Amino acid sequence: MKNPKKLVSFAVAAALAGLASSAVAGGFAIGTQSGSGTGNAFAGGAAAADDASVAWFNPAAMTLIPGTQIAGALHALKPSFKFQNQGSTGAFAAPGTGDGGDGGDWAFVPNGFFTMAINPNLSFGVALNVPFGLKTEYDAGWRGQLTALKSEIKTVNINPSVAYKINNTVSIGGGLSVQKIDAELSSFGGSAAAGNITLKADDIGYGYNLGVMIQASPSTRFGAHYRSAIKYELEGTANFSGTSGALLGSDIKADLEVPDSFSASIFQTLGTSWELMGDITWTGWSSVQQLQVIRTSATGAGAQPGSTLTTLQFHWEDTWRYSIGANYKMNPQTKFRVGVALDKTPTNDVDRTARLPDQDRTWLAFGVQYKPSKTGILDFGYAHEFIKDASVNTPVPGQTTCVAGCLTGTFKNKADIFSVQYSHSF
């Protein structure tokens, strides 16, 4: 092994090429944050006041939830990412075990919410959810193993908040978030000496959110909500499974900032049977420009603590999401939902990798709400995401051109979402 430092840099770059696993929303966000919202494609989220999930979407709306309420939701997500080779070259030309199979798999994402009216003007709530995450995993030995094998990110967020009703027209709210992130990324390190490299890292970050609700008329409601970015100082290890793994492993750190977002929503009732809603959401994905991975220890590979292993380029852009929806109340117990949304991707054709083959997506959603009792509400929702084909032209890790080869092709993508939620008032 002539240059162990170069080998370490190459392998870590391979493992980290795209610090995100693919999620059922733009970027690596998880868009499913309530069971009641799924059926409307989450249209009108900052202005709707269906249940305790407002503790996440807009805490100001908690003043519209009487008494005490709890809500729990479970989402079954099935993304699909299938690579089609289109002339890969160099290190990626050999098919290996194939084109990776389906990089997506079933994932189950829970949400929990609590709201309580302390008095007619003051409310308290808590949201417990998973804002970012999910997983992609390709077959061992596949054509693109230098860029990605497994990519898994998990987050857990707890968000207590308060709301105050200024008058019969305006309510305001705000909260704090504590968010835990865990990441595990793996790829082939490029040689038998390196084997597969697995990166594990974690951290806890903090953020805040602010909201306002305006009851413009008995039938019209406007909501606006801002959620701050959260900065992480990830710390973990890079481990190698090859014959020289004991010499190549090290501790590492990397800074990551998950984006802030702003939503503006409207909710309109028409008579006693119809409800219409719309939403525009901006997300600041331009915070993800590059990821610099730094060694914090050395075990014999010739590098010094504090040296940069690799700098990964993303060049993501801010995105917009647009959604509209409608509800029809068939009777006091049953409500039907429908919604559509356009969710733009922050990625681009130059820097996109197999770890996150994201593209623009269009949601088509349906749902039904049923009230089995005066205090209980059941919500069921389904959404299909039509995702544009995502092209990749990824060079060998650590390279900027295709001289040593490029993984070239298209990912055929889609996603399905199944949601169920139960809410109970006390």
Side-chain angles (χ1 to χ4, degrees), residues 47-385:
D50 278 342
D51 50 59
S53 64
V54 297
W56 171 258
F57 290 102
N58 185 356
M62 293 190 299
T63 61
L64 302 178
I65 307 296
T68 300
Q69 187 177 110
I70 59 171
L74 181 65
H75 311 274
L77 314 180
K78 180 57 175 75
S80 178
F81 308 101
K82 295 183 178 180
F83 179 72
Q84 295 185 351
N85 184 53
Q86 295 174 341
S88 296
T89 59
F92 303 103
T97 60
D99 287 336
D102 192 341
D105 199 0
W106 286 99
F108 299 91
V109 177
N111 315 132
F113 310 98
F114 168 83
T115 60
M116 177 178 63
I118 298 173
N119 60 47
N121 295 322
L122 185 64
S123 297
F124 171 78
V126 178
L128 181 63
N129 60 338
V130 182
F132 302 96
L134 295 190
K135 181 174 74 172
T136 56
E137 187 168 8
Y138 301 98
D139 297 341
W142 81 290
R143 180 191 303 273
Q145 65 177 334
L146 286 173
T147 63
L149 285 172
K150 179 181 179 181
S151 309
E152 185 172 17
I153 284 183
K154 302 175 183 179
T155 60
V156 177
N157 186 85
I158 184 167
N159 182 187
S161 56
V162 295
Y164 181 71
K165 184 177 181 180
I166 297 174
N167 52 44
N168 290 332
T169 301
V170 180
S171 296
I172 57 175
L176 300 174
S177 284
V178 180
Q179 193 171 116
K180 175 73 161 55
I181 187 170
D182 290 273
E184 179 181 346
L185 306 171
S186 68
S187 68
F188 179 55
S191 70
N196 290 342
I197 176 174
T198 299
L199 174 101
K200 293 184 179 181
D202 59 41
D203 192 27
I204 296 176
Y206 305 92
Y208 65 92
N209 60 309
L210 302 169
V212 61
M213 183 72 76
I214 300 173
Q215 189 75 50
S217 73
S219 60
T220 306
R221 196 161 59 235
F222 297 97
H225 180 244
Y226 173 78
R227 184 167 294 278
S228 75
I230 294 180
K231 295 182 179 180
Y232 291 109
E233 296 179 357
L234 291 160
E235 295 183 348
T237 58
N239 294 312
F240 298 75
S241 66
T243 55
S244 298
L247 296 175
L248 299 176
S250 67
D251 295 331
I252 62 170
K253 68 178 182 178
D255 293 337
L256 175 68
E257 181 176 318
V258 296
D260 56 347
S261 63
F262 176 79
S263 297
S265 303
I266 183 172
F267 187 91
Q268 175 75 46
T269 60
L270 297 176
T272 59
S273 298
W274 286 96
E275 299 168 338
L276 306 178
M277 66 280 304
D279 179 89
I280 299 176
T281 295
W282 168 90
T283 304
W285 284 112
S286 61
S287 64
V288 184
Q289 289 297 301
Q290 65 177 23
L291 187 74
Q292 186 179 31
V293 182
I294 299 173
R295 294 188 70 151
T296 57
S297 71
T299 59
Q304 296 299 317
S307 62
T308 297
L309 286 179
T310 185
T311 299
L312 306 174
Q313 303 299 327
F314 296 95
H315 303 119
W316 282 8
E317 298 179 347
D318 296 345
T319 61
W320 292 90
R321 185 183 192 274
Y322 310 90
S323 57
I324 56 173
N327 298 330
Y328 175 72
K329 295 181 180 179
M330 187 175 73
N331 55 49
Q333 287 76 41
T334 308
K335 178 192 294 186
F336 294 98
R337 305 180 186 273
V338 65
V340 295
L342 174 62
D343 197 356
K344 305 292 285 184
T345 181
T347 66
N348 60 74
D349 291 345
V350 175
D351 301 298
R352 184 183 297 115
T353 75
R355 290 200 186 278
L356 184 59
D358 190 37
Q359 250 292 9
D360 297 345
R361 56 190 71 205
T362 300
W363 293 53
L364 180 60
F366 306 93
V368 61
Q369 181 186 89
Y370 178 70
K371 298 180 179 179
S373 67
K374 292 182 178 180
T375 57
I377 302 174
L378 275 169
D379 276 284
F380 301 92
Y382 167 76
H384 180 77
E385 294 186 5

Side-chain angles (χ1 to χ4, degrees), residues 19-38:
L19 183 57
S21 54
S22 187
V24 191
F28 54 91
I30 296 181
T32 50
Q33 298 301 328
S34 78
S36 55
T38 300

